[in-house]
Amino acid sequence: MNIFGKRLKELRTSNKIGQKEIGALLNVSDSSIRKYESGDRTPPPDSIQKIAKYFNVSTDYLLGNTIYGNTDQIYGNKTPIFSSVPIENKRVPIIGTVKCGPGGLAYEYLDGYIWVDDKLTGDIRAFHCKGDSMVGLGIFDGDIAVVRIQEDVENGELAVVVINGNEGTLKKVRKHDDAIILEAANPNYPARVFTGRETNDVHIVGKVLETRRKY
């Protein structure tokens, strides 16, 4: 077993992740992951970068160029590798899109998983933020929203919302009498107001608990 294979296996097993899941991340078979870990095959550079990003470690660590997983050693901090793995201990799926289908909400899983604190109760999932409609709140295209799946939110809370069965969007939800107002955080996007029967076109997917910048 070479150093890359050894460290990949250590990261994978310590996080209780199967070879099949890493294979899905790299779009290869789990048998390829076994060969990576045994040293019989070396993955291409882009796959090494994906693995490093997934486990929040440096490519130098994976390749054996450093005994540390992050760049703390540059500043003189002798931080062991596993301190650089996220402290969150519950894994949730990142969902590419959410729409309304014939049987209810339809999800499409596209981009692996992230780790969250298991103190976040309920059905927790993550969604890609798309577009620039919420930049006023510091939420940018490509960020990831951590969401609790629920059918309603309090007035003024951020939510993932499906409108007219189309792809879900992140908006601030305002409620007034028989109206639902979906507010953006960008002056280029006026608020959308739904009244009367139109409110049936608005389906709240879940409450946004936090967002994470994806660099």
Side-chain angles (χ1 to χ4, degrees):
M1 184 184 297
N2 62 10
I3 189 66
F4 171 84
K6 179 180 179 181
R7 290 186 172 176
L8 171 58
K9 186 173 182 178
E10 286 175 348
L11 288 167
R12 183 179 59 76
T13 56
S14 68
N15 286 282
K16 299 180 180 179
I17 297 171
Q19 291 175 331
K20 183 172 292 187
E21 292 168 275
I22 301 300
L25 172 70
L26 304 181
N27 197 28
V28 299
S29 66
D30 53 336
S31 64
S32 293
I33 303 303
R34 285 196 293 272
K35 291 179 180 179
Y36 293 163
E37 293 184 352
S38 67
D40 292 335
R41 183 184 298 177
T42 302
D46 61 328
S47 293
I48 295 174
Q49 290 176 351
K50 285 182 180 179
I51 293 170
K53 184 177 181 180
Y54 185 81
F55 287 109
N56 193 29
V57 299
S58 68
T59 55
D60 278 340
Y61 174 80
L62 286 174
L63 295 172
N65 297 329
T66 176
I67 62 172
Y68 301 103
N70 54 27
T71 57
D72 283 348
Q73 71 274 16
I74 294 175
Y75 304 99
N77 299 321
K78 300 304 181 182
T79 306
I81 168 60
F82 293 113
S83 68
S84 68
V85 177
I87 60 172
E88 290 91 349
N89 47 13
K90 180 166 71 174
R91 198 165 56 114
V92 300
I94 302 174
I95 296 171
T97 61
V98 56
K99 297 182 179 180
C100 280
L105 294 175
Y107 302 112
E108 182 178 357
Y109 294 81
L110 287 181
D111 196 23
Y113 300 83
I114 65 169
W115 293 89
V116 300
D117 193 324
D118 64 2
K119 292 180 181 178
L120 298 180
T121 59
D123 185 0
I124 307 297
R125 310 193 189 190
F127 292 84
H128 289 292
C129 299
K130 300 179 180 180
D132 61 352
S133 66
M134 302 304 290
V135 294
L137 291 178
I139 302 172
F140 296 88
D141 184 66
D143 288 355
I144 293 176
V146 178
V147 177
R148 176 185 294 116
I149 302 301
Q150 56 189 66
E151 295 181 352
D152 199 9
V153 294
E154 297 294 327
N155 190 33
E157 289 185 327
L158 284 176
V160 172
V161 182
V162 172
I163 306 168
N164 294 321
N166 294 320
E167 185 175 341
T169 181
L170 194 155
K171 291 290 182 290
K172 182 172 288 189
V173 178
R174 300 284 187 187
K175 302 175 184 179
H176 181 72
D177 296 332
D178 66 341
I180 296 177
I181 304 168
L182 302 181
E183 294 182 350
N186 183 332
N188 294 323
Y189 296 87
R192 298 186 63 178
V193 181
F194 299 82
T195 59
R197 293 183 178 179
E198 293 178 335
T199 59
N200 295 326
D201 296 330
V202 179
H203 298 274
I204 294 173
V205 175
K207 176 182 176 180
V208 176
L209 304 176
E210 63 180 77
T211 59
R212 300 184 182 185
R213 180 64 38 79
K214 188 173 183 180
Y215 294 99

